[in-house]
Amino acid sequence: MMLTLNMSNHSAIQNLGTVTNRILVVEDEDSIRELLVLGLEEEGFEVVALADGHTALTQCQAQTPQTQDFPFDLIILDLMLPKVSGLDLCRFLRYQGNHVPILIVSAKITETDRVLGLEVGADDYLSKPFSMRELVARCRALLRRNRLNIAADTPTIQFQDITLYSEEYRVLVRGVETNLSPREFRLLELFMQYPRRVWDREQLLDRVWGIDFIGDRKTVDVHIRWLREKLEIDPSQPQYITTVRGFGYRFG
Ligand code: CA
């Protein structure tokens, strides 16, 4: 059985019970950056790695401030960076109202630095040298905490004339109570949390079906079809869930 799995399924299996999270690593020291990328990818994370604060700032600035549209689930940030320091980057994100979890990884170990880092809005702090195992554990803890916060903050999600009540497991479509299966509900909830984001089938499988699912990506297409039948006025001309040719799906 294992032999027939492709790489992405394999990493999903190593990663029992979690979803694929995207982590931004900002670290100027090549060897540490590479170590972080390798270690995190091995744990099933998607990683984007940058070597200076200015590039990171530009990438973050290009995004809307709302955390939900932000393309990263977590930032691992070195403090001493060329051009723009980690502290300034952190300050900037928080000033924008972005609540993405930030883990500072730094050689600076004074109490003052630690306090300052936390004061400008970092969530956690790890001194170099660190063990990869501890870093991954901290990342997972931050991601878990953030997921809980987001869930608690947004019990109701509204998009045009669709309203989803996360905690009550209810959906109103144009004012009408609509029954969704658990998978359809989870799929819609994910779409509504990230309007306009394009998802490929693999990402949707990871997030909605999780690792206990090993099978055909066509499952996604089938569920999308069912969901369209329940949401769309004309399922053959979908307005909410659109197909992005050659890639996957987008909501909104
Ligand atoms: Ca550095």
Side-chain angles (χ1 to χ4, degrees):
M1 190 62 197
M2 286 301 288
L3 291 174
T4 64
L5 297 173
N6 64 31
M7 272 310 286
S8 56
N9 273 340
H10 181 64
S11 65
I13 281 170
Q14 291 180 328
N15 219 349
L16 287 177
T18 61
V19 293
T20 308
N21 285 292
R22 298 189 83 209
I23 298 182
L24 173 65
V25 170
V26 193
E27 166 65 70
D28 59 323
E29 222 165 298
D30 294 344
S31 58
I32 298 179
R33 192 175 60 250
E34 281 155 22
L35 178 82
L36 284 168
V37 171
L38 281 176
L40 290 167
E41 283 183 346
E42 209 161 89
E43 293 291 326
F45 294 108
E46 270 181 62
V47 186
V48 173
L50 301 173
D52 72 89
H54 185 256
T55 311
L57 185 68
T58 313
Q59 288 240 341
C60 293
Q61 259 173 334
Q63 308 299 327
T64 50
Q66 284 77 28
T67 306
Q68 288 191 0
D69 300 329
F70 197 64
F72 305 107
D73 301 301
L74 175 81
I75 299 181
I76 296 176
L77 196 57
D78 180 25
L79 281 188
M80 303 289 281
L81 288 166
K83 297 176 187 170
V84 173
S85 79
L87 279 184
D88 284 341
L89 188 62
C90 193
R91 205 176 274 128
F92 167 80
L93 287 168
R94 297 310 186 223
Y95 178 75
Q96 273 208 321
N98 192 319
H99 300 294
V100 62
I102 297 176
L103 170 62
I104 286 179
V105 174
S106 176
K108 287 186 156 191
I109 46 160
T110 71
E111 195 59 27
T112 318
D113 290 322
R114 188 183 293 263
V115 169
L116 195 57
L118 297 175
E119 261 177 12
V120 298
D123 297 279
D124 201 1
Y125 198 107
L126 196 57
S127 299
K128 292 175 187 169
F130 54 86
S131 85
M132 202 58 212
R133 185 187 289 246
E134 177 165 16
L135 179 109
V136 167
R138 301 268 190 118
C139 287
R140 290 204 198 288
L142 286 173
L143 288 165
R144 201 158 42 234
R145 202 167 79 194
N146 195 48
R147 253 196 308 278
L148 294 175
N149 284 344
I150 286 176
D153 283 351
T154 55
T156 306
I157 314 174
Q158 178 91 40
F159 184 87
Q160 292 175 7
D161 44 14
I162 298 179
T163 313
L164 182 142
Y165 303 90
S166 291
E167 287 165 4
E168 299 167 36
Y169 231 81
R170 287 172 58 219
V171 177
L172 291 184
V173 181
R174 292 177 285 282
V176 178
E177 197 84 35
T178 304
N179 284 322
L180 300 185
S181 74
R183 293 284 193 224
E184 290 162 356
F185 186 89
R186 181 67 197 105
L187 195 55
L188 178 62
E189 186 180 39
L190 182 66
F191 277 143
M192 290 180 77
Q193 281 167 344
Y194 300 89
R196 313 254 348 127
R197 171 164 169 178
V198 177
W199 302 86
D200 65 28
R201 290 168 181 79
E202 197 75 32
Q203 290 169 327
L204 292 172
L205 278 177
D206 269 3
R207 295 265 190 139
V208 176
W209 278 261
I211 47 68
D212 48 350
F213 181 83
I214 300 169
D216 205 321
R217 293 179 195 191
K218 289 208 172 63
T219 304
V220 175
D221 301 331
V222 172
H223 279 78
I224 296 278
R225 198 167 69 230
W226 290 339
L227 203 47
R228 278 174 173 161
E229 278 164 15
K230 295 179 178 180
L231 302 181
E232 306 281 354
I233 294 173
D234 177 1
S236 64
Q237 303 280 322
Q239 303 298 308
Y240 294 110
I241 305 171
T242 48
T243 304
V244 181
R245 205 168 283 276
F247 198 77
Y249 296 101
R250 174 172 59 210
F251 181 86

